[in-house]
Amino acid sequence: MSVLAFASTNAAMFRVGWYDRARIPPPSPVGVIFSLLMLGAGLAWTVHIERSTSKSRRDRVAGPKLMLTCITVAVALQSVLFMTIPDPDSARHPIDDLIQAADAQHAEWLAAASASTDVSMAAKTYRQRYGRDPPPRFDKWWRYCELQAPLIVDDFDSIHQDLLPFWSVSPKELRERTWEAIANPANMVSGISIRNGRLTKSPYTPEDHRWMIEGILNMMRPFARWLPDMDLAINLNDEPRVAIPWRDLQSMLAAAGRNTTSTLQVDDEDDFTPNANRDWKKIELAAIEESRFRDETFRPSFYTYGSVGCPPSSLARKDRHWKWHEHCSACEAPHKTGQFISNFTQAGEICHQPDLADLHGFYIAPATFRTTHELMPIFSQSKAGPYQDILYPSPWNFEEIAQYLPNEKMPDYEWIEKEPVLFWRGSTSEGYGTSTGTWKGMTRQRMVHMFNNATKSEKATILLPESKAEDASYSYRAMEPQDLHEHLPTSIRIADHIERCAGRDCDEQMSEFQPQLVPFAEFQSHWKYKYLIDADGAGFSGRFIPFLQSKSLPFKTSLFREWWQSRITAWKHFVPLDVRLKETWSVLAYFHGWREGPGTKKGQEKWLMAPHEQEGEQIAMAGREWAEQVLRKEDMEIYFFRLL
Ligand SMILES: *[C@@H]1O[C@H](CO)[C@@H](O)[C@H](O)[C@H]1NC(C)=O
Ligand SMILES: *[C@@H]1O[C@H](CO)[C@@H](O)[C@H](O)[C@H]1NC(C)=O
Ligand SMILES: *[C@@H]1O[C@H](CO)[C@@H](O)[C@H](O)[C@H]1NC(C)=O
């Protein structure tokens, strides 16, 4: 029996190895022969046991002899075939597969996200997806959709997830907490009041944040008349604010599950609570001095806030020994295929990634951070990991403060005319260098170092074919910085000056970055380059949407997630990079190609790995077209209307 089991497992292994994993494998003749030989070996052994009492020596050795022959032939067959038949899996670059998978994933998502054609279907989908009734005036929202014709009308999962814990809090308490947050200016929270469809700002709106509040008002105006009376607490900082400990969050979610809409009937079934106006306290400047927010600016925040929402059994809560210079491959393995991100959603979930504590400015030392462990209804433009802020479309994007606006002097070139350079300009604004030397862990600084000042010993691993042959298999190779620069052009620099640092962290950054500082790039000059990197600053990205809108190909490394996260698909609309950045050179090599020798003239190159121009252009254009369809200002309004 055991022989049979071994033989059939082996046959199965053969089939799986040699055929496309995605399809049901056809029966493999080699597997069958192998199984038969192993079966023969088993029979020979059985016969041998039966005959072991026989007097004749020939009879006694015949069994073992036959068995040995069968096994030898089977094993030889197996090894010969393993040597001569290439494994098609290794002859394909994993990025080819990731692009293909992203296409399918996106198509499936889109079908479910855009199915409803009328309001009753949309309401039905709402109940199915979110297990509760849509809010009053859902029909008004739908009417608004009919006017703006959005593609996405059903998938608003992030709204559901963001609001879910608040169902455990009574409306009275929610009003109280909102008032508290806005009434103390030290909280850096501004307010917007809606009364009878009219919008007003709270008295506390600092001058340098006027653009933000004005932008939100502009976004709300078209639909404000359908909103119930309420106040909104707007986070003026870039960093998220609300970190609920895991255990508390679990009980909130359990209570939220019990408080479904049907058990919370409002007076008039079809509308919001009438006269909610009288339930909201008037907001006056400096009304209170108490605060549930603590100022944790400049302090490490991963263990105290960043990961408190993770389960106690998760690595982020248990493991504490990672340092930025030790690579933790176990931390990234769950969301990667080989070197490359295979699940961008998961890459943003921090609970399996304890090393992030030392790899991001927001966790190392946030430049501003007023935070709480209590559930406060705070509207933020982005958040990382398990923060419970309520996401809304960034007024920075709505107001197009960084705008995709190519002009005659700085046009957006066609793909083939663009310079094949990986380009980034930015400032050291991700976190604060607190004179502890920890600036070296921050993503932006690691990135600039890696592309400009990596030493001979800081090799990068890149995936290349072993030869020029069509079916050559790929393998990872460690390369010295000089080799990489000879093959792959990049321009990744800090612009203007070193900011957000003190003492030693300033000195060290000065000595590394000062000689290579460049002037700020005119925003429209980005479109000259094929590949653009977007790397986290202190919060939401101001430039990602314009990057998508352009004909250039955006690479994005990011922990922060924004309102659009579910509608944009990694490897379909942009190229994802891990926060550790280890694969960046390798990804660039895939798109740019890898010449056989260094420094060959353009047009005469012999490629070890041919450039993937078509793939690059395809993603750049898919992102551009998709942004025109689902990241319009109208789409931001529709998301915000539905949220409110
Ligand atoms: C929801 O549930 C919690 C606890 O079960 C309760 O305290 C709260 O008042 C409920 N919310 C509403 C709106 O009734
Ligand atoms: C990606 O990860 C998320 C969260 O871990 C998971 O829900 C989702 O199914 C994964 N997607 C794929 C395509 O595996
Ligand atoms: C870092 O690289 C830049 C540009 O390549 C160079 O100007 C600078 O001197 C280097 N700094 C150090 C400390 O090596």
Side-chain angles (χ1 to χ4, degrees), residues 166-171 255-256 258-259 264:
F166 292 97
W167 286 93
S168 67
V169 183
S170 71
R258 291 192 296 271
N259 289 352
L264 286 178

Side-chain angles (χ1 to χ4, degrees), residues 448-449 451-454 485 493 508 510-517:
V448 176
H449 171 84
F451 283 106
N452 295 290
N453 296 100
H485 285 298
R493 297 293 176 85
E508 287 177 359
M510 286 286 206
S511 75
E512 165 130 8
F513 301 130
Q514 189 78 3
Q516 49 164 310
L517 288 180

Side-chain angles (χ1 to χ4, degrees), residues 105 343 346 349:
Q105 228 175 57
N343 187 333
Q346 205 180 359
E349 290 168 358

Side-chain angles (χ1 to χ4, degrees), residues 368-383:
T368 48
F369 194 39
R370 290 177 189 78
T371 181
T372 178
H373 285 146
E374 293 179 69
L375 189 67
M376 298 292 279
I378 300 293
F379 289 78
S380 293
Q381 299 170 82
S382 66
K383 61 181 175 182

Side-chain angles (χ1 to χ4, degrees), residues 384-441:
Y387 276 83
Q388 293 300 324
D389 301 49
I390 302 165
L391 293 178
Y392 72 102
S394 169
W396 180 279
N397 292 135
F398 188 80
E399 295 287 283
E400 298 181 283
I401 294 177
Q403 193 178 8
Y404 169 66
L405 200 61
N407 52 48
E408 226 165 83
K409 250 179 69 203
M410 282 171 281
D412 189 358
Y413 299 91
E414 293 306 316
W415 180 257
I416 46 162
E417 299 164 37
K418 287 177 190 283
E419 286 182 31
V421 172
L422 181 65
F423 185 81
W424 183 84
R425 291 288 179 273
S427 42
T428 50
S429 55
E430 177 187 325
Y432 195 88
T434 52
S435 199
T436 46
T438 45
W439 66 272
K440 287 182 179 165

